Amino acid sequence: MARLALLSTSNKTGLIDLARSLVEEFEFDIISSGGTATVLKEAGIPVTKVAEYTGSPEILGGRVKTLHPRIHGGILARRDVPQDLTDLNENQIRAIDLVVVNLYPFEETIAKPGVTLTDAIEQIDIGGPALLRASAKNHAHLTVLCDPEQYNTYVAEMRQNGGEASLKFRQRCALETFKHTANYDRAIATYLSSQSAEESSLPEQFNLSGKELQTLRYGENPHQAATWYQSGSIPTGWTTSTILQGKELSYNNLVDLEAARRLIVEFPDTPAAAILKHTNPCGTALGKTISEAYQKAFDTDSVSAFGGIVALNRPIDAATATALTQTFLECIVAPGCEPEAEEIIKKKAKVRVLILPDLTQGPPQTVKIIAGGLLVQESDNIVEETSKWRTVTEKQPTATELEELLFAWKVAKHVKSNAIVVTRDRTTIGVGAGQMNRVGSVKLALEQAAEKSKGAILASDGFFPFDDSVKTAAEAGIIAIVQPGGSMRDRDSIEAANQLGITMVFTDIRHFLH
C-alpha cells in the first residue's frame, strides 16, 4: 500500500512541486483539507479531501476540519507497538507518514492597520497546531514539515536515502515544529495581552523568542560568539533594512546602529544628522539640508567621528555622499539614497550603507538579561513638551533659547549617564558621557566646547546634586541650563544660577541611560 501524506497549508508556496514529487517520485497518496485540496486538484495532482477520508464534513465554517480520530490516530500511532497497529486496523485508519502544515497567518493579520479583535481571533489556528504537535511528538515514525523552506530539503533527503527520511532529519524537523508552534502561541498571547484593559503596559509573563537571522562574526569581542535573531515571523525594524554595500554587519555595528536610530527619530521635522561612537553621540546637528546637518555634526568632533556610525533622517543626496566619503566610517543609515549618491559612496566600498525606510519602528520595551531572569522596561519614548517645563530662575528663556534647550535635552536623552550636552545653533559642541560624577561630565563637555561654550546651552540628563556644576558652566559662558530637577539641593543650584545670571529650566523628567 502506498504511503499517506497529509497536506494542509495556509501558505501555498512550493506546494505544487512538493506534492508532485510525493506522488510521482515517492508514490504517496495525498489527503488534504479545503483550499489545499482545491489547489492540488487544479494542478492535476490526485488528492482525497480530508472530509471524504474521515467521513465527517468540515463544520463551523471550517473551524473543524482535521480534528478526527482517523487523522490523529494515523499520526500518533507507534509502528513498533502492536496494540497501536491493531487499533489502526480495527478502525480502518491508515498510518500517516508525512504531515505538511503551516498555520493561519495570525501575525500578518494583526500587523494590518485597523484589524479588529474578531478578525484576529478568526486567524487563531486550532487544527494546525494540533496536527503539528502530534506529528512532532511521533517523529520516530513520520516526518513533519511546517515551513515551505523545508520542502526542497525534504525531497533531497528522500532522494538521497532511497525514498526514506532519516531519524536525524525527522528529529530536526520535529524541533523546528515545536519552535514554530511555541512562537505562534507567544504571538497570540502577546496580542491578546495588549487587547486586555486589565493588563498593565508590562505583562505578568514576558516571553522572548527569535528566529536566527544571521550568525555574526563575533560579539563585543572576538572570543564571544554572537547571532542576530529576528523577533516574530514578520520582518520589522532592522530586519526590513536593505544593505546597499559594505562588509558584513557585526554585533557592535548593530548595537550602535540601533542607538543611532533612536536618536535620529527625535528630529522628524528638520534635516538631522548624528554621528555615534560606542552608542554615544559625538556629533548631532540640524540643518537646512541633510548635507549641512551632516557637516555640522562632523565638525563638532571630527576626531571622534573617525570610524563612527552615521544616521541621517533624510535620503542621502550627492552632496552628502561626497562629504561622507571624506573620512573613514563604519556604517551609514538613512531612509533612502539617491542613485547619484549611491555611485559616489561606492568609492568607499567597505563602509556599510543601510537603507531603513521607516526609522521610527522601534521596540515598545527594552530587555536586559541578568542572572536568573530578565529586566523589562517600557522604551523611553516620551514626547517632550516644553509647555510642561518650569523656569525656576529669575531669568526667563527666550523663544530661541527654548528651542535650543529642547534640542540639547533630546540629545542628552541618548548619551550614557551621567550625561552632559552643550549645544548652540542646533549643534552639539561638547558631550560628557558616562562619568562617575556629574561635574566630571560637565568639565569634559565644556573642555570639548572650549571657546564655543560662550553663549551656549547645557543639558543634563539628571539633577545636579550640588551647585558646583552650575558654577563651572557659568565660568565657561553657558547662558541657560535644562535639567530634570528633583535634588534636595535644587535651591542651591537655582540660587547659583540667579547670582550668575543663568536661565535654568526644570523638565521634571529624568533620562538616565545605562
Side-chain angles (χ1 to χ4, degrees), residues 380-430:
D380 190 1
N381 294 327
I382 191 168
V383 177
E384 309 294 346
E385 298 181 64
T386 56
S387 61
K388 296 182 179 180
W389 290 3
R390 296 184 294 125
T391 302
V392 294
T393 51
E394 297 167 0
K395 189 176 181 182
Q396 302 288 309
T398 65
T400 300
E401 288 171 350
L402 192 60
E403 290 180 7
E404 191 73 39
L405 286 164
L406 179 60
F407 172 78
W409 180 243
K410 286 183 174 182
V411 177
K413 173 181 174 182
H414 299 276
V415 178
K416 289 292 178 68
S417 189
N418 288 315
I420 297 294
V421 174
V422 179
T423 77
R424 64 185 307 163
D425 300 325
R426 312 302 186 275
T427 305
T428 55
I429 57 175

Side-chain angles (χ1 to χ4, degrees), residues 6 9 104 146 148 185 202 219 245 261 272 356 394 413 444 481:
L6 168 63
T9 62
Y104 292 170
C146 63
D185 287 340
L202 297 176
Q245 66 172 55
R261 183 201 65 76
L356 187 61
E394 297 167 0
K413 173 181 174 182
L444 278 176
I481 292 174

Side-chain angles (χ1 to χ4, degrees), residues 205-325:
Q205 181 169 330
F206 191 89
N207 298 310
L208 269 182
S209 67
K211 179 180 180 181
E212 183 180 55
L213 186 67
Q214 180 181 328
T215 299
L216 303 174
R217 288 179 297 164
Y218 50 78
E220 289 179 302
N221 299 291
H223 61 275
Q224 296 171 266
T227 298
W228 181 8
Y229 293 91
Q230 174 183 311
S231 57
S233 62
I234 302 174
T236 58
W238 290 105
T239 61
T240 67
S241 64
T242 300
I243 301 176
L244 290 186
Q245 66 172 55
K247 297 184 293 184
E248 183 180 351
L249 288 168
S250 71
Y251 177 95
N252 289 338
N253 289 155
L254 288 163
V255 171
D256 284 334
L257 281 166
E258 174 60 11
R261 183 201 65 76
R262 290 197 303 265
L263 170 54
I264 206 67
V265 297
E266 296 280 0
F267 310 105
D269 301 325
T270 306
I275 307 172
L276 284 82
K277 287 286 287 292
H278 310 301
T279 73
N280 277 307
C282 52
T284 306
L286 306 185
K288 295 178 182 178
T289 65
I290 195 64
S291 175
E292 180 188 31
Y294 170 71
Q295 195 61 55
K296 289 170 67 178
F298 178 81
D299 291 341
T300 294
D301 186 355
S302 58
V303 174
S304 296
F306 184 86
I309 306 290
V310 175
L312 308 171
N313 70 348
R314 297 290 188 274
I316 306 169
D317 57 20
T320 309
T322 300
L324 289 166
T325 60

